[in-house]
Amino acid sequence: MSGLRATGGCPATRTAGEAPSRRAHRPAPREWRGVGRVAATLVTALLFGACSGGGTGAGGLSVTWRLDPTPPAVGPTALEVRLIDPAGAPVTGASLEVEANMNHAGMVPVFATLEETGPGTYEGTVDFTMGGDWFLLVEAALDDGRTVERTLDVKGVRP
Amino acid sequence: MPRRTVGPPERGSAPGGGLDLLRVPVLGALLRRRRVGQFALLAVAAVLVIHGFLGPQLAPKNLATLAVWVHYRGLLVLALLVVGNVFCTACPIMLARDGLRRFVTPRFAWPRALRGKTPAVLLLVGVLFGYELWDWWGSPAATAGLIVGYFAAALLVDGLFTGASFCKSVCPIGQFNFAGSALSPFEVRAKDAAVCDGCSGHECLTGAPATPSAPAARGCEMGLFVPSKAGNMDCTFCMDCVRACPEDNVALASRAPGVELSEDVSGSGVGRLSGRRDLSLLALVFVFGALANAFGMVSPVYALQRTIAYALGTTSEAAVLGVLFTSLLVVEPVLLLGVAAWASRRAMPGRPSLTSVAARFVHGLVPLGVGVWAAHYGFHFLTGLWTIVPVAQSAAADTGFAFLGEPTWGLGGLTERAVQPIETGLLLLGWLGSLMVLHRIGTREAPGAARAATLPWAVLATLLFAAALWLMAQPMEMRGTFLDG
């Protein structure tokens, strides 16, 4: 994915350990902290600035991401995600799954699995099915057992 | 004024050869007992508010945003087309309102200056504007807040003011339902006019006192007197009149959809459509608002918004939307209706004013408006039909109840390709309905020159139909803002 450019994207909002698969339901105590999470999201967004294409979550893990083409359009779109640990080293051996969804209710989500193509670099294809604003729920299962989740905003997918 | 009845009922059969939904097993019982539906929707509203505030703040994963903006809107419009105003029947706010009135007796009459539909129509425009500006469709918490605010506003209004002040003069959804229910195939009316002729109690309007065999029954809070009621305007299908009538002489009877738009009879509590400028305004906003609302979800609107922003030198979304709404809901209707009225009145006896001509004919565009709303909301509803399943499964699991099973996130609905012919069919029906109603209005207003009086309005309806077809053919681009991305 050479020549990729960072698109607008908001930094991480959630990090959790021992989380079950994204497709399975999430545990109640975490999920029902909605108001607190909204506040946390706002604070995080303020801290990291608006949609920089990467960020560091509560677990200290840095996540950067890119889409190709940029700006994205309806159809298959290459997604690259890079994971960096607090020491600056790439995070290898993780399993990354992505759920892409529109910010409007009533659309069927699109799923993708990212493959590790280099140290800490994971690539895959997301098939945007409609123009508009999307978000990507990225779930990384690390080899130490932790699970890291990120919500990445993808504004203005072209029809 | 003429009385329309459905003839004397026979036991177990539909009165007058038509269909009386109140006599249909199960459905009739449900319609008579509105509390069943109200309790059900109150429970749904409670779930939506809780999940909206406390659940995932992602619109497609939250019951509040999904159920309100996809399923509720779609079902409401489809119900208007298939049955009638049944969402007012089951309105949970009225359950809360009636509960409040057990403890609080309203003291004031609704202010004379605020009577009529104009304030409520402006609120309806405000709702359409707020929907675009604040992206309510994308915010579960905002949607939940909207539900709570709606309840609070209704309880405040009906706690202070007598009768059904909120329903009649405030509720934007109610006005939408009243306008759309002109096309509904059922209406509340008398079974037998002769029975009403012999009635001296007028219980359907004033209510019935308690008897040893029946509790007291409320009369129509909207001021509709069944024997002289015409059409569905202001009728919430609450069935108070059905319960109050000591002769069981009220039916929810089948009829020709849209007939009330062209008859112009003076109905109880409403008067003549042609004499009510506020109802003409409601029809205008209903029709042009349908196009504006659909325009908000297709690609060209964003280019237009950027152009407006550039021309104004502003990045304020409110300012740009203000210009857009003013153009679509004021300038465009005034120009189009003005030209059509100018061309039409030359054929009309007495040369009425342009405003008067437009006020009479604008009701003929309502069927097209219903078609556009149904096509738009039907699209979201049908393409997202089953998305409610995994979200409900997820919500249940989040609360510790996994009885609904693991969320099946891949569930969707009909494909866009499958829904497109349905959209086109709804628009086509709306356009044909408008042509028929406009012709009947033309025949009524210009008996000697109906064709000449109708033609300009038929051209306008065709232009709007073409615009709606073009809109539905555009690629969808659902976005929160036009200024970034």
Side-chain angles (χ1 to χ4, degrees):
Chain A
M1 289 177 58
S2 59
L4 291 173
R5 288 184 293 132
T7 67
C10 290
T13 57
R14 286 186 299 195
T15 302
E18 304 300 328
S21 163
R22 166 179 44 78
R23 290 188 179 86
H25 65 81
R26 299 185 177 92
R30 183 158 55 86
E31 199 58 48
W32 284 84
R33 294 174 195 153
V35 176
R37 208 174 59 228
V38 172
T41 304
L42 290 173
V43 170
T44 310
L46 287 172
L47 285 174
F48 291 101
C51 303
S52 61
T56 305
L61 203 67
S62 169
V63 178
T64 60
W65 58 285
R66 299 172 180 180
L67 288 171
D68 186 23
T70 298
V74 169
T77 302
L79 169 66
E80 178 196 271
V81 173
R82 287 184 179 156
L83 303 180
I84 309 292
D85 70 13
V91 177
T92 60
S95 298
L96 267 69
E97 290 192 71
V98 176
E99 176 185 339
N101 215 325
M102 295 202 75
N103 65 352
H104 189 291
M107 302 300 296
V108 181
V110 174
F111 298 97
T113 300
L114 306 189
E115 302 293 336
E116 188 167 7
T117 56
T121 301
Y122 301 84
E123 296 182 11
T125 301
V126 176
D127 191 2
F128 293 117
T129 53
M130 185 180 285
D133 292 344
W134 287 69
F135 62 86
L136 307 177
L137 293 175
V138 179
E139 184 181 273
L142 309 184
D143 61 359
D144 62 4
R146 287 184 300 153
T147 299
V148 178
E149 294 181 7
R150 295 287 191 273
T151 303
L152 314 173
D153 284 335
V154 181
K155 300 276 189 196
V157 171
R158 307 295 177 200
Chain B
M1 65 149 287
R3 261 182 206 169
R4 291 177 295 118
T5 68
V6 292
E10 295 172 16
R11 185 178 291 275
S13 65
L19 177 63
D20 178 2
L21 280 188
L22 298 180
R23 289 170 168 266
V24 175
V26 183
L27 181 61
L30 277 175
L31 286 167
R32 285 172 185 266
R33 294 170 182 80
R34 62 165 182 238
R35 294 294 190 219
V36 175
Q38 289 177 343
F39 271 113
L41 283 193
L42 184 66
V44 170
V47 169
L48 299 190
V49 168
I50 293 168
H51 205 233
F53 282 130
L54 302 178
Q57 292 303 304
L58 299 168
K61 295 194 172 286
N62 194 291
L63 285 171
T65 34
L66 182 59
V68 169
W69 304 119
V70 175
H71 293 81
Y72 173 79
R73 294 193 310 182
L75 284 170
L76 184 146
V77 173
L78 294 176
L80 285 175
L81 281 176
V82 175
V83 184
N85 194 1
V86 290
F87 272 82
C88 278
T89 312
C91 177
I93 294 173
M94 288 303 103
L95 184 63
R97 192 281 301 255
D98 290 347
L100 175 74
R101 282 189 173 177
R102 286 175 177 267
F103 308 101
V104 176
T105 302
R107 293 181 170 189
F108 307 105
W110 183 249
R112 188 171 294 276
L114 296 178
R115 287 181 191 170
K117 300 297 185 190
T118 303
V121 173
L122 294 177
L123 276 175
L124 178 59
V125 173
V127 168
L128 296 175
F129 187 80
Y131 175 81
E132 301 292 349
L133 180 61
W134 292 298
D135 303 331
W136 288 334
W137 45 269
S139 170
T143 303
L146 203 60
I147 298 172
V148 172
Y150 219 100
F151 270 82
L155 293 178
L156 181 66
V157 168
D158 278 1
L160 288 172
F161 301 102
T162 56
S165 299
F166 185 78
C167 301
K168 196 174 180 79
S169 303
V170 180
C171 181
I173 299 174
Q175 312 317 312
F176 179 95
N177 291 346
F178 296 147
S181 62
L183 268 290
S184 296
F186 293 91
E187 71 172 340
V188 172
R189 66 174 188 254
K191 294 175 184 173
D192 185 353
V195 173
C196 291
D197 286 341
C199 171
S200 59
H202 299 178
E203 286 88 350
C204 60
L205 183 63
T206 61
T211 65
S213 59
R218 190 165 62 194
C220 182
E221 291 190 300
M222 303 293 276
L224 306 178
F225 183 43
V226 170
S228 55
K229 175 179 171 294
N232 281 330
M233 178 56 67
D234 275 359
C235 182
T236 61
F237 278 28
C238 67
M239 305 302 155
D240 278 342
C241 55
V242 175
R243 281 181 290 276
C245 178
E247 304 293 337
D248 189 21
N249 192 43
V250 184
L252 184 53
S254 55
R255 61 161 193 169
V259 69
E260 68 197 73
L261 296 170
S262 58
E263 281 190 339
D264 201 32
V265 296
S266 180
S268 168
V270 177
R272 292 181 187 279
L273 289 187
S274 63
R276 291 274 306 265
R277 293 292 187 267
D278 57 335
L279 294 182
S280 299
L281 181 67
L282 174 60
L284 182 154
V285 168
F286 184 82
V287 174
F288 287 86
L291 292 164
N293 194 243
F295 189 45
M297 68 172 194
V298 296
S299 291
V301 74
Y302 300 104
L304 179 58
Q305 285 178 322
R306 280 191 292 270
T307 303
I308 295 171
Y310 180 76
L312 296 178
T314 181
T315 56
S316 164
E317 194 166 358
V320 173
L321 278 174
V323 170
L324 198 57
F325 266 68
T326 305
S327 304
L328 294 175
L329 294 182
V330 179
V331 178
E332 182 193 26
V334 166
L335 283 176
L336 292 175
L337 296 182
V339 170
W342 173 79
S344 180
R345 79 166 173 170
R346 293 190 299 178
M348 294 172 67
R351 290 267 188 140
S353 69
L354 288 181
T355 312
S356 173
V357 176
R360 295 177 206 188
F361 276 92
V362 71
H363 297 288
L365 300 175
V366 168
L368 180 61
V370 171
V372 177
W373 285 114
H376 178 186
Y377 288 176
F379 171 86
H380 291 301
F381 176 65
L382 293 173
T383 56
L385 185 60
W386 300 116
T387 53
I388 194 83
V389 174
V391 177
Q393 289 172 315
S394 177
D398 287 344
T399 55
F401 298 100
F403 61 92
L404 293 180
E406 290 289 309
T408 45
W409 290 115
L411 284 177
L414 297 181
T415 62
E416 284 182 54
R417 183 174 290 183
V419 173
Q420 216 158 28
I422 299 173
E423 285 184 282
T424 306
L426 289 167
L427 293 178
L428 197 61
L429 284 174
W431 175 57
L432 291 173
S434 274
L435 293 182
M436 291 169 66
V437 173
L438 287 169
H439 177 68
R440 286 173 61 98
I441 295 174
T443 304
R444 184 190 77 211
E445 297 294 336
R451 196 171 293 174
T454 305
L455 186 63
W457 296 97
V459 170
L460 174 55
T462 306
L463 281 175
L464 296 179
F465 170 60
L469 277 180
W470 176 80
L471 277 175
M472 299 301 166
Q474 293 305 300
M476 281 186 58
E477 189 174 351
M478 294 189 289
R479 294 184 47 187
T481 177
F482 59 93
L483 293 173
D484 60 4

